[in-house]
Amino acid sequence: MKVYVSVDMEGVTGLTDPEEMQAGGRGYERGCELMTGDANAVVQGAFDAGARAVLVNDAHGSTKNLRIDLLDPRATLVRGPGKPLRMGQGLDETYTAACFAGYHARAGVRHGVLNHTWMGKEIQNVYLNGEICGETRLVAAFAGSLGVPVALVTGDEAVCEEARELLGDVETAAVKKGIDRFSAELLPPVVAQARIREAAARALGRLGDFRPYVVEPPYTLGVEWNSTAIAAGCATIPGVRAAGPRHTEFTTGDFGEIMALFGVFAMVGGQIACGSGIYG
């Protein structure tokens, strides 16, 4: 059994402050340790359930957050920028199951800790084939296009609920309960990570219950930006079309192209937002 683990940071045990997720921010180094602890809890649960190999992908921001020196030595790590498939880098048809750790609710979800979809301020909403889409749905659909089911999602209560609504009886492990976007009721790491480890072992012990999350092609990615300038800039990317003053759309038969496009969107949208002042 080969297990793939995509690890984001906003849903990690103990974290509520954006500074804890940005290099140089107050608490960032401790945030990286907590992120690695959650990843290790999934890895430990996977090996408890009989995994023979586990690949961990650092899926947050710079993708240079997980501490390789603290990672369970039985796992391997994909780390660093320039990954074409971003949050799904390294996943292919050979994996038995995918697990998402440290994930967060999509943009606009009430009580979702640090809720957003891909970009914290530039994107209002994302749509996949006309239906609203968070990062859980996005990466689950990529996994499904490869025939790989999602077995586990960990994060706050809001993302666990989002995952169950999307994927059915998927295993979840809630490590915090949102009060507002930047506040939550937290579990101590020793408690939260035990919960994650147990959920991972349960999930991989009942793989027959899971099916890949399949979205039928062609895939149309719609993005509602917070700025006409960002939408106009992103519409210059080949294959991307303007669908409204603040909306872009992209259609493809290859879900990998959607994953890759988000990396380009982040570069273009981030540059316009940061370079255009408050009216960007």
Side-chain angles (χ1 to χ4, degrees):
M1 176 169 59
K2 288 178 64 179
V3 178
Y4 176 83
V5 186
S6 175
V7 189
D8 205 354
M9 201 167 186
E10 287 84 0
V12 161
T13 296
L15 303 185
T16 60
D17 186 338
E19 284 202 45
E20 296 168 328
M21 282 147 256
Q22 296 288 336
R26 183 183 66 252
Y28 172 70
E29 295 301 328
R30 178 59 176 150
C32 292
E33 294 174 1
L34 290 166
M35 183 183 183
T36 308
D38 282 14
N40 280 339
V42 179
V43 173
Q44 291 163 13
F47 280 105
D48 288 347
R52 63 177 178 83
V54 178
L55 176 67
V56 177
N57 177 32
D58 188 327
H60 174 75
S62 69
T63 68
K64 297 185 291 184
N65 313 286
L66 287 170
R67 290 276 302 272
I68 186 63
D69 56 317
L70 300 179
L71 191 70
D72 188 308
R74 296 170 292 181
T76 55
L77 174 65
V78 176
R79 180 183 187 273
K83 301 185 293 189
L85 298 177
R86 308 295 291 183
M87 296 183 79
Q89 188 67 39
L91 180 59
D92 61 30
E93 299 89 343
T94 67
Y95 284 86
T96 310
C99 300
F100 301 161
Y103 270 49
H104 55 83
R106 61 175 172 78
V109 172
R110 182 172 293 179
H111 307 310
V113 182
L114 298 159
N115 65 78
H116 67 280
T117 303
W118 203 269
M119 300 177 75
K121 294 181 289 186
E122 293 81 4
I123 291 177
Q124 293 290 106
N125 284 300
V126 171
Y127 300 88
L128 179 60
N129 287 8
E131 297 182 10
I132 199 158
C133 180
E135 291 170 29
T136 299
R137 184 168 185 241
L138 182 76
V139 187
F142 174 57
S145 74
L146 300 170
V148 179
V150 177
L152 172 71
V153 177
T154 84
D156 69 341
E157 286 188 357
V159 77
C160 291
E161 181 178 348
E162 185 178 325
R164 290 189 296 270
E165 290 176 355
L166 178 72
L167 303 171
D169 191 25
V170 65
E171 286 284 347
T172 60
V175 301
K176 50 193 168 187
K177 179 179 181 179
I179 297 169
D180 204 341
R181 196 180 189 201
F182 303 115
S183 57
E185 180 181 346
L186 306 174
L187 292 175
V190 66
V191 176
Q193 289 164 8
R195 182 176 291 189
I196 292 170
R197 183 178 66 250
E198 292 162 4
R202 281 197 309 272
L204 298 173
R206 52 183 285 254
L207 285 174
D209 295 340
F210 305 125
R211 297 291 181 270
Y213 175 70
V214 176
V215 177
E216 293 298 329
Y219 312 109
T220 296
L221 176 72
V223 179
E224 177 190 2
W225 300 92
N226 74 350
S227 159
T228 55
I230 296 176
C234 289
T236 66
I237 299 169
V240 178
R241 61 187 178 277
R246 293 190 296 114
H247 290 69
T248 57
E249 286 189 349
F250 174 76
T251 300
T252 179
D254 179 357
F255 208 96
E257 292 184 352
I258 286 178
M259 301 298 291
L261 182 62
F262 267 108
V264 182
F265 276 170
M267 288 188 289
V268 174
Q271 181 59 41
I272 292 172
C274 293
S276 303
I278 61 171
Y279 293 111

